[in-house]
Amino acid sequence: MVNNVVGGIGRVSRGFGSVKRKVQNKVFGEDTPEMKESKLKAIDDNIREAEKVLEERQQEAKNFSEKANEDLERFNTQRDNDIREVLINYINLQIDVCKKGQITWQVMKESFSSL
């Protein structure tokens, strides 16, 4: 008997969906086949437009990514060049300081030798 009650409830709920549709159709009116076709066409147009926009955005993202990679590569190259230039300038400065230090010691050596 419980099975009959459970089965009956299922049949009632399915029947209720049908009643609900009938009430909605009476309140809001039923769509004619032409209206359904025009709505379907509008949805298809929206889908096509959305797919076109998606392709455009994907292309923009690809272009942005390529440009970003180029910029990153340019930055890394410039950074390497800048570091190389700074190190070369530092080495030249140290060579000049050492030469001046050597000249100072030679002058001091000559001064002490003459004493």
Side-chain angles (χ1 to χ4, degrees), residues 47-65:
I47 289 172
R48 276 190 222 101
E49 186 175 330
E51 287 174 344
K52 184 191 292 186
V53 169
L54 176 64
E55 288 175 10
E56 291 172 359
R57 296 305 181 257
Q58 286 174 334
Q59 185 63 37
E60 287 175 5
K62 181 180 175 186
N63 291 342
F64 177 81
S65 178

Side-chain angles (χ1 to χ4, degrees), residues 31-46:
D31 288 343
T32 63
E34 293 83 18
M35 290 175 64
K36 288 180 183 179
E37 193 64 34
S38 70
K39 286 181 181 180
L40 183 60
K41 185 178 181 300
I43 291 171
D44 285 341
D45 290 343
N46 287 343

Side-chain angles (χ1 to χ4, degrees), residues 5 21-22 38 40 42-43 50 53 59-60 63 71 73 84 90 101-102 114:
V5 172
R21 262 182 271 130
K22 288 179 183 177
S38 70
L40 183 60
I43 291 171
V53 169
Q59 185 63 37
E60 287 175 5
N63 291 342
D71 287 345
E73 186 63 34
R84 185 176 295 114
Y90 178 75
Q102 186 178 11
S114 64

Side-chain angles (χ1 to χ4, degrees), residues 97-114:
V97 167
C98 288
K99 285 180 181 178
K100 288 179 183 179
Q102 186 178 11
I103 291 172
T104 302
W105 281 108
Q106 284 177 352
V107 168
M108 289 177 63
K109 180 182 172 187
E110 290 174 3
S111 295
F112 287 130
S113 296
S114 64

